[in-house]
Amino acid sequence: MTEQTVVPDTGAEDKPDAAVVRDALGVGIAVGLSGFAFGVTSAGSGLTLAQTCVLSLLVFTGASQFALVGALAAGGNPLTAAAGAFFLGVRNAFYGLRLSQLLALPRAVRPFAAQWVIDETTAVALAQPTRRGVRIGFTVTGLTLYVLWNLTTLLGALGAEAIGDTAAWGLDAAGPAVFLALLAPMLRTVTERATAALAVLLGLGLLPVLPAGVPVLVAALAAPAVLWARGRRESGDGRTTAREEER
């Protein structure tokens, strides 16, 4: 029995397994190496080696991890920092809803696969035209990224402890720099860029007046604000068109 097509017919031919593995390895290795920056940032924010490694092992979502240690480094309340990290990680739940349909894994395997539902594994999986390709892309990306991210987190934390004051070396900027590097390629539409720009303005503008960690939570309001504005504009354009047709 042939593999069932996952994506509606787009005219694309089946992708060879070797090509899927190559793409998955490329993403997993490129992003996995940035775990070094997280290890450095986490150790520099005051977390112990064990705490840093446990975060990567159990949380395993870079944006949330960077947000958590960044808020803690700025002197934020641990609960506020955790709340910001949680809201950033909520998106993975929506990824899981789609991937559960595409992967169609046995129930016993799903809890373990859920640990690997992140931006990169979702992107690679959704790019595949068949269920077999989706499973290979998801598994190879997840395994490669998980192993490398945790290994480089350990190396980064050990290196930071050996260096001492990470701020003196400028390594405290490593986390935000990596986060921006991961985010920038994802901003492809006007709506996404507007959301990012508004979030930056809210975060930076409120930084001097709100406790550490709170500006990140407020910046999350950028998404519904931009979507509301776009809906109002599209609704207004529709009414204008309707009036012109009546004339």
Side-chain angles (χ1 to χ4, degrees):
M1 183 175 179
T2 58
E3 281 288 327
Q4 181 181 2
T5 300
V6 175
V7 180
D9 185 15
T10 59
E13 297 181 357
D14 288 353
K15 196 173 183 179
D17 292 350
V20 179
V21 172
R22 182 185 64 244
D23 293 345
L25 285 174
V27 173
I29 293 173
V31 179
L33 293 176
S34 63
F36 184 85
F38 171 72
V40 171
T41 305
S42 181
S45 68
L47 271 68
T48 66
L49 176 64
Q51 290 170 332
T52 298
C53 292
V54 167
L55 269 177
S56 281
L57 284 168
L58 301 182
V59 178
F60 187 53
T61 173
S64 295
Q65 291 178 232
F66 277 120
L68 176 63
V69 300
L72 292 176
N77 182 285
L79 292 179
T80 303
F86 172 79
F87 282 116
L88 282 174
V90 166
R91 71 191 187 284
N92 294 336
F94 294 99
Y95 295 160
L97 293 175
R98 179 58 177 153
L99 286 178
S100 66
Q101 298 174 345
L102 299 181
L103 292 168
L105 297 173
R107 290 185 179 275
V109 178
R110 291 177 187 177
F112 301 98
Q115 178 69 358
W116 290 354
V117 177
I118 55 175
D119 296 330
E120 292 76 18
T121 54
T122 302
V124 173
L126 293 180
Q128 311 312 319
T130 64
R131 174 158 289 138
R132 177 181 174 82
V134 170
R135 288 177 172 175
I136 292 174
F138 177 84
T139 303
V140 174
T141 305
L143 178 61
T144 305
L145 185 49
Y146 190 76
V147 171
L148 273 181
W149 180 266
N150 282 281
L151 177 61
T152 54
T153 291
L154 173 62
L155 294 176
L158 289 172
E161 288 187 349
I163 289 172
D165 185 8
T166 56
W169 295 79
L171 295 180
D172 53 326
V178 172
F179 182 77
L180 290 175
L182 294 174
L183 176 64
M186 302 179 187
L187 305 178
R188 298 174 181 173
T189 67
V190 174
T191 300
E192 291 169 350
R193 291 168 185 164
T195 301
L198 180 57
V200 169
L201 290 175
L202 288 173
L204 294 179
L206 297 173
L207 195 59
V209 297
L210 293 179
V214 176
V216 175
L217 299 179
V218 178
L221 297 175
V226 171
L227 291 175
W228 175 82
R230 190 182 70 172
R232 292 274 296 179
R233 186 179 66 252
E234 292 176 349
S235 177
D237 292 343
R239 287 195 297 267
T240 300
T241 302
R243 286 196 297 269
E244 290 176 351
E245 290 178 350
E246 290 176 358
R247 294 175 184 174

